[in-house]
Amino acid sequence: MTRITAPELSPSPPDSPPPVRRSPAPASATPPSRRRHSPSPSLALTPSSASTSATSSRPKTRPSPKRKYSPAQWVPVSSHPAFALRGGQGQGGGGAAWDAAASRLFVWDPSARGVHRISVRIRDAEPDKDGEEVAVEAAVPSEMLMPEIDLGYEVTHITLNTDGSSLLLAGSHNINVLYVHERVSEDGDTIICRTAPVASHVLPRNNDGIKVMQTSWHPFSSSHFGVLTSDAVFRLFDLSNDLVQPEQEFYLQPILPGRCQNASSICPVAFSYGSDHLWDRFSVFILFSDGSIFVLCPVVPFGSDYSKRYIEELYEDVNTFGLKSLNPNVVTNSHLAIAWLEATFPELLRQSADGSTLMLRARPYAPVDDSLTLQGPLCRVCEENNELEGKGSSCDGKAVGFVYSSVGKDSVLVTAWGSGQLQIDALADEIQPQWSIGVPTCLNFNSNGHIKSVAMKCDSNPQDSLALRSHRTSSTGSNVKSNTEAVWMGHTPPLLRLSIVDLALPKTPNSSSLSLFLDPLVPERFYCAHGGGLDMVTLHFLPFSYPEMASTPPSVHPVLTTGNSDTTSPFLSGFVTIADAYGHVQLVGITHTAECFVVEMKGWKEPTPLQLDIHSKSIKDVESVTTGMISKELIAGPDPPILPSSSGLRSLTPDSIEGKSTLHHYIKVFHEHYVEYGHKVFIELKEHGDYVKTEIEDKQKRLQAVKQSLLSIETKDQELNKRIDRASKVYDLLEKRIESFKMLPAANKKPLSQAELEFKSQLDRFADVELDALRSSIAALSARMRRFAHMSPGGAAGTGMAPWQAPKAGRSHVTESQMSLMKSSLERLSLINEENNLKLRLIETELKNKEQ
């Protein structure tokens, strides 16, 4: 590909996007929709274009004087003053975000308590500098966006919405929204922007109780973002409506009360939105610390826009395959899905002839008598014998990261474990909507009678895993009708284990910190950042997209290596992937020491493996390697002339006419075949004289270099011999030390038995995972109890709940006796926890004494 060098740029304001090549927005390389059981196409959905305009209650911004722009200078991103002034010595953390549409990089500065907004361009290599790579440059000076209020907490993560107008500033216990385009005042390159807190009634400012596990913008709406908290509640907020009360609230109940065996099974870790595959667009995947994965479907932001043809295809699919089934369970689930589609997208019932409508807007809807089912945990099915695996995983430690990726016809789920392992699974069936019949939903209506917010309790189905054990996953091409009926039975789809990737991180007492990032151009590729560096993982086998590559494991390539043995602390505080116009990916990372680095992924494209069959061709079919100096015709020599038999030549004399004629003929044949060939050889050698001379000189130079290398090796031979002798002495010394160590008393101790090893592993898991999960659960419950104990002024009497959450008539209120009983139960639970800690210390002491 020919690259065009960018011309010299005129001075331009730093906040304007660079006029040179911009980085396009990350677009998925996969088809917009695909099925696993039938090849019928589906159309993609486009992100929501919901308005993010401020409501009437927002304060008006004060007018500011006209800003004077200084000429912009372009420097490498790593040399930008935002990093160079504090690189290696400053305080890192806070993260980074990338705005692909405006080509801007947002970086949180902990020391300045603000966000750097940096204009970025990707410059081509200059033609007079051979070997120079494409440069990622930043504009100087850059803008500093400051929140108008003191946040009062440490920002650990920032994320930008789809249109680049709002920035989430998330901490461990608090969240604030910074409005990028709503400026309160300006002072040169420093801009003070309007800032508002999120869920202030749930997240206290004293950093006590409920923790923020993850927050992320919804991919199909620029005004909706999801928040997962440690009290096992997933909340969906609408930026254009209300930041205090969530639009949708889902109380997750992964295990029925009284059946909890492990505290880690009720502690959420992360979540991920679905994408580009049928009902996956309406799904939210939630990971718990024991590695179990649950699904909420359908979850749709109110007011988000979706493709009309895509929704019509789902609607037709349910009516065609679901309602005509002879199975009553299939018909029931189909009726529920149809009712949800018709209420959420009422245009499906109108069937207007106007074909200009391409998008459908989701209307606020939730069934009054039914709530969403927390589908899961997703069981894993073995490919060989098609049997379901148990809930336990072969990975050690606790789950710390999670990401969803849509690749071709497959939905891939990647789980990162604290032991340094990556668990890669794919959905073996389709996700379908599922409701719990008879579990009412709490609705909040506005003055016009429209649904304003929704809250529901999502219970898991305990019979789901039992039903899955009786259901064997059919092959893709067999019995399409039975496959379709199995989809609509309401069972949770199983997971197909693709691979477990071990990053070989150093073993540490605490769990390692791992973060997962998707590649914006190659969906089969993702990146894993940890304390030891940055790795790139590429998938080759996918059960529905690439079934022919079943024996090819994922490939892992280290991008950066820190050499740090402590992997518990993260290496990067910010990481973004930039897709340039040439199909390459630029990786921009910010370390915790506030240093910035840029890595271009152009040189790490893996070539397609070339497979050759050595038995397909004989030796005669293989062409011999010839030099490019002389043509093949000259090297093969002249073609020999065809001469008549010499029996008739003996009767001829040289003086006769026939003899002279024959002699003249042979002279002519010799001239045509040999003299002309010699002339061609002379001309060819004369023309290639310079080439031969150059080759000889090059060979002589190489010969001289080899001679110099041999001389240097000879001079270093004595030094190498000395080092070898010293290594031999050290080896002998180590052997003597080993022999002396064998005489110690501890060398004769017996190894632990299998039962003791299992008991020790259980103790390690209890100390590493269960105690942390139990403490987190106790803190979340305590915070929730304090919040409900202190009733708000506008709350329902005696309940501590908001008016819209007041219980229905006929239901008992929470009395003071019940509240005191709950407090006593929590105190008893704390005492039991202390007793368990004491017993654990005694067991560890006994084990150490036994080992000694």
Side-chain angles (χ1 to χ4, degrees), residues 653-669:
T653 58
D655 298 336
S656 63
I657 297 175
E658 293 80 0
K660 291 180 179 181
S661 176
T662 302
L663 183 61
H664 179 71
H665 173 70
Y666 277 103
I667 293 174
K668 183 179 179 181
V669 169

Side-chain angles (χ1 to χ4, degrees), residues 153-172:
Y153 61 91
E154 180 182 355
V155 176
T156 59
H157 179 69
I158 66 173
T159 177
L160 193 71
N161 62 346
T162 55
D163 61 3
S165 61
S166 302
L167 194 67
L168 283 180
L169 308 177
S172 59

Side-chain angles (χ1 to χ4, degrees), residues 826-841:
L826 286 175
E827 293 176 357
R828 188 183 305 170
L829 186 60
S830 302
L831 293 176
I832 294 175
N833 187 20
E834 294 178 358
E835 293 178 358
N836 290 336
N837 291 335
L838 181 59
K839 293 178 181 179
L840 182 61
R841 296 191 190 97

Side-chain angles (χ1 to χ4, degrees), residues 48 114 195 208 210 247 288 386 438 478 525 614 627 631 743 818:
S48 169
T195 311
D208 184 18
I210 299 177
E247 178 187 88
F288 285 78
N386 208 15
S478 64
R525 177 187 299 170
I614 60 176
T627 178
S631 63
M743 302 300 294
Q818 293 177 347

Side-chain angles (χ1 to χ4, degrees), residues 64-286:
S64 56
K66 185 176 180 181
R67 182 181 174 190
K68 296 181 180 180
Y69 294 99
S70 58
Q73 298 179 357
W74 297 95
V75 298
V77 174
S78 57
S79 302
H80 193 273
F83 313 110
L85 295 180
R86 56 194 184 102
Q89 298 178 355
Q91 178 185 3
W98 171 247
D99 185 2
S103 188
R104 286 189 174 100
L105 179 65
F106 293 81
V107 179
W108 174 260
D109 190 344
S111 58
R113 306 291 294 173
V115 181
H116 293 278
R117 184 168 66 171
I118 306 171
S119 297
V120 177
R121 72 175 184 181
I122 301 178
R123 181 181 58 80
D124 299 332
E126 297 181 4
D128 55 344
K129 294 182 179 180
D130 297 335
E132 187 185 38
E133 298 293 337
V134 175
V136 181
E137 296 182 336
V140 177
S142 60
E143 296 175 331
M144 172 67 76
L145 306 181
M146 301 292 296
E148 64 173 339
I149 60 176
D150 184 15
L151 299 181
Y153 61 91
E154 180 182 355
V155 176
T156 59
H157 179 69
I158 66 173
T159 177
L160 193 71
N161 62 346
T162 55
D163 61 3
S165 61
S166 302
L167 194 67
L168 283 180
L169 308 177
S172 59
H173 293 81
N174 305 93
I175 305 174
N176 275 265
V177 178
L178 186 142
Y179 297 90
V180 177
H181 302 311
E182 298 186 18
R183 304 181 178 185
V184 177
S185 63
E186 295 184 15
D187 184 11
D189 294 327
T190 303
I191 303 172
I192 299 178
C193 300
R194 194 175 72 85
T195 311
V198 177
S200 57
H201 72 292
V202 177
L203 303 175
R205 296 187 61 87
N206 55 0
N207 296 341
D208 184 18
I210 299 177
K211 294 183 180 180
V212 177
M213 307 307 299
Q214 183 182 347
T215 178
S216 177
W217 291 96
H218 200 281
F220 303 118
S221 175
S222 60
S223 61
H224 287 81
F225 59 92
V227 178
L228 181 65
T229 52
S230 59
D231 58 345
V233 181
F234 176 74
R235 298 174 176 90
L236 194 64
F237 289 87
D238 185 6
L239 187 68
S240 61
N241 186 16
D242 191 359
L243 290 178
V244 177
Q245 180 63 42
E247 178 187 88
Q248 301 178 45
E249 201 168 9
F250 304 94
Y251 290 84
L252 310 178
Q253 191 71 35
I255 297 178
L256 295 179
R259 297 188 179 182
C260 181
Q261 300 294 333
N262 299 322
S264 60
S265 60
I266 58 175
C267 294
V269 174
F271 72 94
S272 181
Y273 301 106
S275 173
D276 289 342
H277 188 79
L278 298 178
W279 288 94
D280 288 10
R281 282 183 178 264
F282 305 137
S283 302
V284 178
F285 298 85
I286 302 174

Side-chain angles (χ1 to χ4, degrees), residues 95 156-157 213-214 269-270 287 398-404 414-418 420-422 503 505 511-519 525-537 567-577 590 592:
T156 59
H157 179 69
M213 307 307 299
Q214 183 182 347
V269 174
L287 174 71
K398 60 181 178 180
V400 295
F402 179 67
V403 71
Y404 168 95
V414 183
T415 304
W417 292 80
Q421 295 174 310
L422 301 179
L503 300 178
L505 300 181
S511 298
S512 301
S513 177
L514 286 82
S515 301
L516 300 174
F517 307 92
L518 296 178
D519 191 280
R525 177 187 299 170
F526 61 92
Y527 305 93
C528 180
H530 46 80
L534 180 67
D535 294 328
M536 180 184 70
V537 182
T567 58
T568 56
S569 59
F571 161 61
L572 299 177
S573 64
F575 181 81
V576 295
T577 55
I590 303 170
H592 269 273

Side-chain angles (χ1 to χ4, degrees), residues 434-605:
Q434 189 173 348
W435 288 268
S436 298
I437 309 299
V439 181
T441 301
C442 203
L443 304 177
N444 182 22
F445 297 87
N446 57 15
S447 58
N448 298 326
H450 298 157
I451 296 178
K452 181 181 179 181
S453 58
V454 176
M456 62 182 70
K457 187 180 71 170
C458 302
D459 296 324
S460 61
N461 188 2
Q463 299 178 354
D464 193 30
S465 59
L466 298 178
L468 275 175
R469 295 186 182 278
S470 61
H471 168 65
R472 292 273 183 116
T473 305
S474 303
S475 60
T476 305
S478 64
N479 201 351
V480 177
K481 182 178 179 181
S482 62
N483 289 341
T484 306
E485 291 183 355
V487 165
W488 287 102
M489 285 291 290
H491 299 322
T492 303
L495 294 176
L496 180 62
R497 175 65 54 81
L498 300 184
S499 177
I500 293 181
V501 178
D502 192 354
L503 300 178
L505 300 181
K507 300 298 182 181
T508 57
N510 300 324
S511 298
S512 301
S513 177
L514 286 82
S515 301
L516 300 174
F517 307 92
L518 296 178
D519 191 280
L521 297 180
V522 183
E524 297 89 351
R525 177 187 299 170
F526 61 92
Y527 305 93
C528 180
H530 46 80
L534 180 67
D535 294 328
M536 180 184 70
V537 182
T538 305
L539 303 179
H540 301 286
F541 163 65
L542 293 170
F544 299 97
S545 301
Y546 312 121
E548 66 278 359
M549 303 290 289
S551 60
T552 306
S555 56
V556 182
H557 297 274
V559 179
L560 289 174
T561 304
T562 62
N564 186 12
S565 59
D566 183 15
T567 58
T568 56
S569 59
F571 161 61
L572 299 177
S573 64
F575 181 81
V576 295
T577 55
I578 303 176
D580 60 19
Y582 291 146
H584 303 153
V585 176
Q586 307 289 337
L587 305 181
V588 179
I590 303 170
T591 65
H592 269 273
T593 57
E595 294 176 318
C596 179
F597 65 88
V598 180
V599 180
E600 185 180 12
M601 299 305 295
K602 177 186 66 175
W604 284 326
K605 288 185 177 179

